[in-house]
């Protein structure tokens, strides 16, 4: 009887262990709890004067920013060449900027700035619309902003590239770019993209390529069109998961697309890229106007000193910006533009970051 009882107890334990093994077996289905709501207040008019800028912001009423964007209205004709993106960047309160000491500059940020600048021409159509990507996750419940900056660019037709890298053990989920001062009308950020702080990516000079996973850095590129220099500075912002969060099971997938153009004077180009269902949720994106091959060669400037960005924003598959409160955005669009001159050998790039938190 005693032996039989022991056998029964052993059988029961075996059943329990078997059940536990089934629950944790590899390939068991789970729900990706990463989610994003896009928040935008709509357009703010301006700038109304040459060599100036306007700043507007989007706010996450719930969730934390994983990134953000900006879309500009520029009008038509040659004056449309004067509107440009001066910044798409995080903010602690919707007005203050992170431009001081480098390193970790903020935690659990909920505001995103869209900063529109002007060159030598303006028109009444100019406006900028900011977008905040409001992120929630059962795993990544805290975030941090890392900022880096570099002097320049100082002379005409030159770039200044700077890279912000997430702390070890954290996960990059977005980023942004900024230049100052606005009084140098030819100065603008022409690229903002995910990358890696490793030799294969020239420590941020080569962008993350399509299908690469878990980039750890964000690069920003400033471009000087006219050669003005008033302590010109280029800033890069990386949005990273908080410290002491085990992100080993989380995957961020890069989607990238590059198209030719714009090459004609006073012309625009859009390029759109998106996340598949298996990639996870769109959490942020980036944009560039460049000399092309940005994922295989060090970043090079586009074909004209007047080239600039007019948008980097969450969109539908046709490149149309999504509306306030959208929870299903899966695409990111870059909107690029030439100046008054033609721009040979110029390309436009868009990146989407797609997150699966592994929960």
């Amino acid at each position: 009887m005693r032996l039989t009882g022991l056998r029964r107890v052993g059988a029961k334990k075996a059943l329990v262990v078997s059940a536990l093994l089934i629950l944790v077996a590899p390939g068991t289905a789970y729900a990706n709890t990463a989610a994003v709501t896009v928040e935008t207040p709509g357009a703010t008019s301006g700038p109304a004067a040459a060599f100036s800028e306007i700043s507007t912001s989007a706010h996450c009423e719930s969730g934390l920013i994983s990134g953000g964007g900006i879309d500009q209205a520029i009008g038509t004709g040659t004056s449309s060449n004067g509107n440009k993106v001066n910044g798409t960047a995080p903010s602690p309160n919707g007005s203050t900027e992170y431009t001081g000491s480098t390193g970790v500059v903020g935690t659990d940020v909920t505001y995103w700035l869209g900063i529109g600048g002007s060159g030598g021409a303006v028109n009444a159509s100019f406006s900028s619309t900011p977008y905040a990507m409001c992120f929630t996750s059962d795993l990544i419940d805290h975030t941090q902003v890392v900022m880096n900056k570099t002097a320049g660019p100082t002379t005409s037709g030159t770039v200044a590239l700077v890279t912000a890298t997430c702390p070890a053990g954290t996960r990059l989920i977005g980023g942004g770019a900024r230049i100052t001062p606005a009084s140098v009308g030819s100065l603008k950020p022409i690229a903002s993209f995910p990358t890696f702080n490793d030799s294969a990516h020239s420590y941020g000079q080569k962008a993350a390529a399509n299908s690469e996973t878990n980039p750890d850095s964000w690069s920003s590129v400033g471009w000087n069109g006219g050669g003005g220099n008033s302590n010109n500075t280029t800033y890069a912002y990386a949005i990273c998961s908080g410290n002491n969060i085990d992100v080993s099971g989380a995957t961020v997938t890069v989607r990238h697309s590059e198209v030719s153009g714009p090459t004609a004077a006073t012309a625009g180009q859009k390029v759109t890229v998106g996340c598949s269902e298996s990639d996870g949720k769109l959490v942020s994106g980036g944009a560039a106007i460049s000399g092309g091959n940005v994922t295989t060669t060090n970043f090079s400037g586009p074909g004209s000193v007047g080239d600039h960005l007019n948008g980097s924003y969450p969109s539908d598959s046709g490149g149309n910006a999504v509306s306030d409160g959208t929870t299903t955005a899966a695409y990111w669009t870059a909107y690029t533009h030439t100046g008054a001159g033609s721009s040979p050998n110029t390309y436009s790039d868009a990146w989407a970051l797609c997150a699966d938190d592994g929960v």
Side-chain angles (χ1 to χ4, degrees):
M1 292 294 294
R2 181 176 178 82
L3 182 58
T4 303
L6 289 173
R7 285 174 177 169
R8 285 175 179 171
V9 171
K12 288 179 180 179
K13 287 182 177 179
L15 286 172
V16 171
V17 171
S18 296
L20 290 173
L21 287 173
I22 290 171
L23 287 174
V24 299
T28 299
Y30 61 85
N32 175 22
T33 66
V36 167
T37 300
V38 180
E39 300 288 351
T40 177
T44 295
S45 297
F51 311 128
S52 65
E53 67 183 19
I54 56 106
S55 180
T56 182
S57 69
H59 179 222
C60 295
E61 296 292 342
S62 61
L64 305 169
I65 60 163
S66 53
I70 181 173
D71 185 24
Q72 295 185 312
I74 63 175
T76 59
T78 57
S79 63
S80 68
N81 298 322
N83 205 11
K84 60 190 174 76
V85 172
N86 271 8
T88 175
S91 167
N93 55 20
S95 58
T96 303
E97 296 188 52
Y98 295 119
T99 56
S101 299
T102 60
V104 176
V105 294
T107 56
D108 295 344
V109 174
T110 61
Y111 288 87
W112 194 266
L113 299 175
I115 303 170
S118 60
V122 295
N123 69 51
S125 297
F126 285 3
S127 72
S128 291
T129 301
Y131 297 87
M133 306 296 285
C134 303
F135 174 81
T136 60
S137 163
D138 287 353
L139 176 70
I140 302 173
D141 54 356
H142 293 285
T143 60
Q144 55 190 314
V145 177
V146 179
M147 184 272 284
N148 199 7
K149 62 183 177 180
T150 189
T154 57
T155 57
S156 180
T158 59
V159 301
L161 186 149
V162 61
T163 303
T165 298
C166 290
T170 67
R171 189 73 80 224
L172 177 82
I173 55 174
R178 173 75 162 120
I179 55 84
T180 59
S183 58
V184 180
S186 62
L187 182 65
K188 54 261 182 176
I190 57 167
S192 178
F193 55 80
T195 185
F196 295 79
N197 184 30
D198 62 20
S199 59
H201 296 81
S202 295
Y203 302 98
Q205 295 188 69
K206 296 177 185 176
N210 189 55
S211 297
E212 287 195 293
T213 58
N214 299 333
D216 61 9
S217 304
W218 197 272
S219 287
S220 168
V221 180
W223 180 241
N224 196 340
N229 179 30
S230 297
N231 297 315
N232 297 354
T233 307
T234 302
Y235 305 82
Y237 302 90
I239 314 299
C240 316
S241 62
N243 292 325
N244 303 314
I245 299 173
D246 182 2
V247 293
S248 59
T251 302
V252 175
T253 300
V254 176
R255 292 300 173 193
H256 168 253
S257 182
E258 181 176 273
V259 299
S260 179
T263 56
T266 315
Q269 178 67 282
K270 286 185 178 182
V271 53
T272 299
V273 67
C275 301
S276 69
E277 186 174 349
S278 62
D279 291 335
K281 301 297 178 65
L282 175 76
V283 293
S284 60
I289 185 167
S290 72
N293 301 311
V294 294
T295 65
T296 57
T297 61
N298 289 1
F299 189 93
S300 61
S304 172
V305 295
D307 293 346
H308 53 275
L309 296 176
N310 284 131
S312 176
Y313 54 84
S315 71
D316 62 20
S317 60
N320 304 298
V322 300
S323 59
D324 183 49
T326 297
T327 59
T328 57
Y331 296 88
W332 198 269
T333 292
Y335 177 24
T336 64
H337 205 268
T338 59
S342 62
S343 185
N345 303 314
T346 294
Y347 295 82
S348 297
D349 298 86
W351 290 264
L353 283 191
C354 319
D356 185 331
D357 62 14
V359 176

